[in-house]
Amino acid sequence: MTDVTGVAAVEEIRAEVLRALEMAATEEQLEDLRVAYLGRRGKLTQILRSLGSITPEVRRETGAAANELKEVFEEKLAARRKVLADKKLAALSGQEKIDVTLPGRPYLRGGLHPTTRIIREILDTFVSMGFAIAEGPEVEWDRYNFESLNIPKDHPARDIWDTLWVDYTDDSGYRPMLLRTHTSPMQARIMETVNPPVRVVVPGKCYRYEATDATHEWHFYQIEGLAVDEGITFGNLKGTLYEFAQRMFGEERKIRFRCDYFPFVEPGVDMSIDCFQCDGDGCRICSHTGWIEIMGAGMVHPNVLSSAGYDSSVYTGFAFGMGPERIAMLKYGIDDIRNFYSNDLRFLREVGD
Ligand code: PHE
């Protein structure tokens, strides 16, 4: 080892290494140099390793010189690497017609619309409770949208839904159709085609002849729910919707029912949850009432059961209807329903998936 120890040996390596660094013309040559001097068997490595076995006086000076050279070498190596890399890049961009230094263009990645997301989330919750999913037409007959739901022609309750009518004429003459104002017509359609027990949720688009504002759109989604069987009670309605509210808005949620009127349910209610923002103390989200209304519901009216062909003395059921956009607005803190369908990418990116 004596031949590689001592300051003189370090200086010899220094001269050699600095010259070699200048000469190296490729990144591979630089790497070879690094291995030759600083690799496991490298010349400088050997000196550093041998420090332990030499006399203390020689060790101090040799050690200092060797460590200093190591630092210098590493610095110069990095600097040369950069010079060579820059040269390579410059040569490349001269040869090729593209500017390889330009950052790439980001790919726009599509995602799920917030309405789709919330509808899926709501449906998943009901599917896990044993409900099936059904869908139906958006252009609907008066009969399903109103009459079979216990809303006869000229009944004042029709005013609840401002309706968009569609002119339709076929062989039997002019027959008015409409854009469904809610998903409830599917209650009648489903009961006409299947026998009880029924447990179904129906997502779908609805339309109303309405001026738009922050909480009203002329088209929006609804999710309808219907359960009919022997012996279904208001307790079943309450339990099901309580479970739903807790899964959607957190286990600590409480629910409240108040009387409301929908011609196709009796009794009819609207359901609220206690405000998840302020826990019922009162805040902007709940308009300082402590409660947030999330859907209409009730026990299916006997007239609706019998007009679909069910024996209303044997079967009972409950139904509910909610606006998924409203649920999403509450869940994600969105303050204007018009955001959903104005296709503003900033909004979609923020709340989409
Ligand atoms: N269809 C009602 C509406 O659009 C909501 C509802 C559905 C209420 C089912 C009760 C039962 O306002």
Side-chain angles (χ1 to χ4, degrees):
M1 282 285 144
T2 46
D3 56 333
V4 288
T5 55
V7 177
V10 174
E11 288 315 314
E12 203 174 296
I13 293 177
R14 180 191 300 271
E16 202 179 294
V17 113
L18 294 184
R19 211 175 323 120
L21 268 175
E22 287 304 316
M23 311 254 296
T26 64
E27 287 172 67
E28 292 72 33
Q29 285 173 4
L30 281 180
E31 178 58 15
D32 289 348
L33 263 184
R34 190 192 63 77
V35 173
Y37 290 91
L38 281 181
R40 258 194 322 135
R41 302 230 172 76
K43 285 188 181 173
L44 199 51
T45 312
Q46 285 192 19
I47 293 195
L48 288 164
R49 278 220 200 108
S50 68
L51 287 174
S53 57
I54 57 179
T55 54
E57 307 83 67
V58 187
R59 183 194 306 157
R60 219 167 44 89
E61 281 177 31
T62 310
N67 277 313
E68 191 260 352
L69 176 58
K70 183 177 178 215
E71 252 172 53
V72 171
F73 179 48
E74 279 172 344
E75 253 170 45
K76 289 207 184 286
L77 196 64
R80 280 295 286 164
R81 274 209 175 109
K82 186 164 174 352
V83 168
L84 290 181
D86 286 352
K87 256 196 202 153
K88 201 165 153 189
L89 203 61
L92 204 62
S93 49
Q95 267 168 32
E96 298 184 6
K97 290 268 181 310
I98 49 166
D99 181 353
V100 290
T101 64
L102 264 186
R105 296 211 176 108
Y107 270 102
L108 285 182
R109 210 165 44 88
L112 290 181
H113 190 279
T115 307
T116 310
R117 257 178 83 194
I118 197 79
I119 288 177
R120 288 191 184 178
E121 202 179 329
I122 295 170
L123 294 181
D124 282 352
T125 311
F126 284 106
V127 165
S128 74
M129 291 193 263
F131 283 73
I133 300 175
E135 287 183 292
E138 287 173 32
V139 184
E140 190 52 286
W141 297 111
D142 183 290
R143 175 169 147 237
Y144 288 111
N145 197 82
F146 291 125
E147 279 171 68
S148 59
L149 293 174
N150 199 30
I151 316 169
K153 288 218 160 57
D154 304 321
H155 192 284
R158 287 197 177 208
D159 289 350
I160 303 176
W161 300 274
D162 294 308
T163 309
L164 286 157
W165 294 93
V166 178
D167 286 340
Y168 177 77
T169 311
D170 64 9
D171 294 344
S172 43
Y174 175 75
R175 294 200 290 160
M177 292 192 88
L178 51 81
L179 297 181
R180 67 176 171 198
T181 59
H182 50 182
T183 41
S184 301
M186 280 301 287
Q187 291 187 29
R189 282 183 178 272
I190 288 164
M191 286 192 277
E192 267 183 13
T193 46
V194 300
N195 290 322
V198 173
R199 254 182 227 89
V200 69
V201 276
V202 185
K205 211 167 189 187
C206 306
Y207 303 81
R208 286 188 199 170
Y209 183 53
E210 200 150 36
T212 57
D213 64 26
T215 52
H216 295 89
E217 256 290 10
W218 64 272
H219 64 149
F220 52 92
Y221 280 82
Q222 275 196 347
I223 294 178
E224 189 83 9
L226 176 71
V228 184
D229 202 353
E230 285 181 50
I232 288 204
T233 67
F234 198 90
N236 298 123
L237 178 159
K238 206 171 151 183
T240 306
L241 297 184
Y242 192 25
E243 179 72 24
F244 165 73
Q246 292 191 325
R247 291 209 204 166
M248 253 355 239
F249 292 102
E251 270 176 25
E252 62 287 3
R253 290 287 60 84
K254 298 193 206 70
I255 55 171
R256 177 184 79 174
F257 291 104
R258 286 192 307 184
C259 289
D260 200 351
Y261 173 70
F262 304 97
F264 33 91
V265 284
E266 179 59 36
V269 292
D270 66 50
M271 182 182 126
S272 303
I273 53 173
D274 65 330
C275 181
F276 48 83
Q277 187 68 38
C278 61
D279 275 330
D281 292 341
C283 70
R284 207 175 57 87
I285 291 192
C286 59
S287 313
H288 302 281
T289 61
W291 294 96
I292 301 174
E293 201 181 308
I294 61 169
M295 68 176 101
M299 298 306 288
V300 181
H301 197 291
N303 288 355
V304 175
L305 293 170
S306 48
S307 96
Y310 281 15
D311 184 344
S312 62
S313 65
V314 177
Y315 297 107
T316 51
F318 65 82
F320 56 87
M322 71 185 97
E325 290 96 343
R326 181 167 160 72
I327 306 269
M329 286 168 80
L330 292 168
K331 244 191 125 156
Y332 307 133
I334 300 161
D335 58 9
D336 194 325
I337 195 173
R338 291 168 294 192
N339 280 329
F340 284 90
Y341 305 114
S342 56
N343 288 332
D344 185 331
L345 285 179
R346 287 165 303 181
F347 168 76
L348 295 175
R349 282 204 194 104
E350 202 176 310
V351 283
D353 186 18

